[in-house]
């Protein structure tokens, strides 16, 4: 069927507009102004009223433009005059001198500098009392005073020396400056994407004002071949249903000029409204774009494996419940925290005096007892390590609380904690979980890197599973020895491993007889590690689809040892819109053969470790131009998301930008502040002149630059 060709938008993009509902083209200039300049006849009928649909007659479009006296060109000139602020009647009546324009530029530049400083650091603009009699008028005005005071040129044109109706310090001006900075920051990101493929990372969280906020991050490969994850906006949603989230994403993409047709990956957590098979956000986007493959956040899956082990093994669950209770008791009052800090200080002094620990810059700093959380990555590992380092101070504190004359609840809890900590089993579990969580913690940190690719992430998971299996086979004796040293240090009774084990408080006759060695090695050590390995396999094996098997053929390690042309062609067929079966697949086959011969013979490609390194090297050596289809395969592999850590970082910034004293900030201003704060590296590169010109064009201003 004959239809509108998108290439026409590039050729006649300044005026040709396509209506999806009418399936017709219109002339923007003639549609707006042809009656004012006297347009009539078939030209107006085709491009203004009915719409142009004769797609096969492209010459008719050029004929519509005509010569310099045509209706179209007169409408074009009228539109240009309309857009020129200098020709507006209100500007013509206001007799602005050259000196006034110079003063306006200085005043605007000064306000912009103050706004940039506050936006970049996530600081509030407004004050509680901004009247002239106030001794603190808010950070914007106070910063403006401090910034302009030593500069005579600035101080002569700002604040009290500026016209009363044009000081450029009003809340509306502050919001316009913030919006200009945010809009140009997003435009820089969109320009860097340059219409290329990307992945969508989305998550929602509740802010301090109890409003649901959805953060959107795009993952793409830039022109240098680097993986980039950029935050493009935070949207207030009335509810967290998949339909609401999809509508919010569509609205944001429409505003920014993005298209979901370019999306080649989705990354969310495991919530049902996100990954639901029928009504989840994943499914709604897949209905519009089948090439937007979904990847469950790896870091989130890893956290779920740790939570599963902690909740489904009786002893581990009791262990973490005790740690939770310990954190609650210690954090119950300021007095207890101070006692813990004092005990820690005394312990450090003793260990330094005995030569047990070294001294130096950054060493022996004060630490606190961290509280474990199911949704905070690495929090369990932080809790275990802090308990080990603060073991003696915590015991001393529990003894003090236990002997307090009042507060029976705290005394009871302290007695239970003290009883558990003085048991060898607690010390063994403490070191066992430190060992297991330490191995997975390194994986968690690696998965949260922005430039991590999917294939390397799967490789890291396999390394962790192999490491855990190796520890299970050969690590028990070393762990038991480490626990014995720890128990001797803190006077904890060490049981004879050959004695018959008995649960405390239970009759021996009701239990199966086995030794302490069997209990610690089989019932605890082996069982916990086996559960961890099995859970890792269950959660990450579903990623090992045919897509990933084909993806592994791009691995550059060992001179592309996994290279397989047939599987890479199969990988290309996952993207039928990019690789046409008749036009592109045959050319890709020959291109892959030439590519592998070329890179294996090139010494620059010998020591590459990841697909990310391969993309960077191809751009550096300009082989992305020589093998465009191969490089396209690599880009499609790299844009597949690994983790939603970038979105989580946005929510961390949200708690800083929108706090209890700033909880009534409007959604638009909040979005502007978030964009410039999170993407401050891009914001810093935007020129002041570009921001001022954008600010000037947002609406009619009293002055001209």
């Amino acid at each position: 069927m004959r239809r509108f060709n998108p290439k026409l938008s590039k050729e006649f993009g300044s005026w040709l507009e396509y209506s999806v509902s009418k399936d017709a083209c219109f002339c923007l200039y003639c549609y707006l102004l042809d009656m004012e300049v006297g347009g009539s006849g078939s030209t107006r009928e085709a491009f203004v009223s009915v719409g142009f649909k004769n797609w096969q007659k492209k010459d008719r479009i050029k004929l519509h433009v005509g010569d310099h006296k045509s209706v179209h060109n007169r409408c074009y000139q009228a539109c240009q005059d309309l857009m020129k602020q200098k020709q507006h009647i209100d500007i013509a009546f206001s007799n602005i001198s050259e000196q006034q324009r110079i003063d306006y530029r200085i005043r605007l530049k000064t306000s912009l500098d103050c706004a940039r400083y506050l936006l970049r650091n996530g600081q509030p603009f407004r004050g509680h009392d901004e009247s002239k009699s106030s001794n603190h008028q808010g950070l914007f005005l106070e910063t403006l005073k401090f910034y302009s005071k030593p500069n005579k040129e600035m101080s002569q044109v700002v604040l009290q020396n500026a016209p009363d109706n044009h000081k450029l310090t009003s809340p509306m001006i502050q919001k316009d400056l913030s919006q200009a900075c945010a809009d140009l920051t997003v435009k820089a990101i969109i320009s860097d994407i340059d219409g290329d493929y990307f992945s969508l990372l989305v998550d929602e969280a509740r802010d301090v004002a109890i409003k649901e906020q959805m953060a959107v991050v795009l993952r793409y490969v830039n022109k240098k071949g680097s993986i980039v994850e950029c935050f493009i906006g935070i949207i207030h949603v009335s509810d967290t249903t998949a339909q609401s989230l999809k509508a919010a994403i569509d609205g944001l993409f429409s505003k920014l000029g993005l298209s979901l047709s370019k999306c080649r990956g989705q990354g969310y957590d495991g919530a049902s409204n996100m990954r639901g098979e029928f009504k989840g956000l994943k499914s709604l986007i897949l209905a519009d774009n089948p090439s937007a493959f979904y990847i469950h956040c790896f870091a989130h899956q890893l956290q779920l494996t740790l939570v599963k082990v902690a909740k489904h093994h009786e002893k581990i669950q009791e262990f973490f419940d005790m740690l939770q209770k310990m954190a609650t008791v210690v954090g119950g009052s300021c007095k207890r925290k101070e006692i813990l800090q004092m005990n820690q200080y005394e312990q450090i002094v003793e260990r330094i005096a005995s030569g047990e620990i070294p001294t130096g810059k950054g060493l022996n700093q004060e630490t606190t007892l961290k509280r474990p959380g199911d949704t905070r990555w690495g929090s369990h590992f932080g809790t275990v390590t802090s308990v080990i380092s603060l073991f003696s101070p915590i015991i001393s504190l529990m003894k003090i609380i236990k002997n307090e004359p009042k507060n029976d609840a705290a005394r009871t809890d302290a007695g239970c904690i003290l009883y558990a900590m003085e048991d060898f089993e607690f010390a063994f579990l403490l070191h066992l979980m430190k060992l297991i969580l330490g191995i997975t913690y390194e994986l968690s940190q690696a998965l949260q890197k922005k430039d991590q690719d999917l294939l390397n992430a799967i490789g890291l998971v396999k390394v962790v599973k192999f490491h855990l299996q190796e520890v299970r086979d050969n690590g028990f004796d070393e762990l038991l020895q480490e626990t014995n040293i720890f128990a001797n240090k803190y006077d904890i009774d060490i049981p004879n491993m050959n004695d018959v084990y008995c649960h405390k408080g239970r009759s021996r006759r009701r239990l199966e007889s086995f030794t302490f060695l069997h209990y610690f090695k089989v019932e605890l050590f082996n069982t916990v590690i086996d559960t961890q390995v099995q859970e890792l396999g269950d959660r990450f094996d579903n990623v090992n689809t045919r897509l990933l098997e084909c993806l592994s053929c791009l691995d550059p390690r060992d001179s592309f040892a996994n290279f397989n042309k047939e599987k890479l062609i199969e990988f290309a067929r996952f993207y039928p819109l990019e690789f046409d079966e008749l036009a592109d697949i045959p050319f890709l086959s020959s291109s892959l053969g030439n590519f592998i011969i070329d890179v294996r013979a090139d010494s620059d490609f010998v020591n590459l470790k990841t697909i990310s390194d391969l993309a960077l090297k191809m751009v550096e050596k300009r082989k992305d131009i020589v093998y465009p289809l191969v490089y396209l395969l690599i880009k499609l592999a790299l844009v597949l998301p690994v983790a939603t850590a970038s979105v989580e970082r946005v929510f961390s910034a949200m708690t800083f930008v929108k706090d209890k004293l700033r909880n009534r900030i409007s959604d638009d201003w909040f979005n502007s502040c978030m964009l410039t704060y999170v993407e401050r590296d891009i914001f810093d590169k935007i020129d002041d002149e570009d921001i001022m010109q954008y600010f000037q064009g947002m609406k009619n201003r009293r002055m001209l630059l």
Side-chain angles (χ1 to χ4, degrees), residues 441-569:
Y441 180 76
E442 294 177 359
L443 173 61
S444 176
Q445 297 301 304
L447 292 176
Q448 295 177 50
K449 294 181 179 179
K450 291 184 178 182
D451 59 349
Q452 192 67 263
D453 62 82
L454 184 60
L455 185 62
N456 196 48
I458 287 292
L460 291 172
V461 173
K462 291 180 179 178
V463 169
V464 167
K465 290 167 67 176
F466 177 80
H467 192 180
L468 287 172
Q469 189 62 44
E470 187 179 28
V471 168
R472 184 197 185 283
D473 296 337
N474 306 308
F476 175 77
D477 292 337
E478 183 178 350
L479 176 65
L480 185 61
Q481 182 180 1
E482 183 181 358
T483 308
N484 288 337
I485 295 173
F486 182 84
N488 287 324
K489 179 179 179 181
Y490 294 107
D491 298 327
I492 299 174
D493 293 335
I494 302 174
N496 188 336
M497 291 297 156
N498 295 320
D499 289 348
V500 176
Y501 174 79
C502 179
H503 287 277
K504 293 184 178 180
R506 300 181 185 179
S507 172
R508 296 189 182 187
R509 292 175 295 179
R510 299 179 182 177
L511 297 174
E512 187 177 335
S513 298
F514 50 77
T515 63
F516 277 96
L517 181 62
H518 175 88
Y519 174 73
F520 285 113
K521 185 173 183 179
V522 177
E523 300 295 325
L524 293 182
F525 183 79
N526 290 351
T527 304
V528 172
I529 294 181
D530 287 344
T531 305
Q532 181 74 78
V533 172
Q534 181 181 357
E535 192 65 24
L536 282 171
D538 292 344
R539 290 199 174 271
F540 288 99
D541 278 351
N542 59 357
V543 184
N544 295 326
T545 59
R546 192 65 182 166
L547 177 69
L548 186 60
E549 292 179 16
C550 298
L551 188 66
S552 64
C553 298
L554 289 171
D555 191 352
R557 285 175 289 191
D558 301 325
S559 295
F560 296 84
N562 294 330
F563 183 85
N564 186 308
K565 186 168 69 173
E566 287 71 25
K567 287 187 177 181
L568 288 177
I569 292 175

Side-chain angles (χ1 to χ4, degrees), residues 106 123 153 282 322 543 585 669:
I106 296 173
Q123 297 297 315
E153 186 182 39
K282 174 195 76 172
M322 188 59 65
V543 184
I585 295 297
W669 198 4

Side-chain angles (χ1 to χ4, degrees), residues 4 20 25 59 62 66 106 119-120 150 159 178 273 283 290 362 369 441 515 517 544 564 581 594:
F4 174 72
V20 177
C25 286
D59 294 339
K62 296 180 180 179
I106 296 173
L119 288 170
R120 192 189 184 281
L159 296 173
S178 301
N273 63 333
S283 302
L369 183 60
Y441 180 76
T515 63
L517 181 62
N544 295 326
N564 186 308
E581 187 68 32
N594 295 333

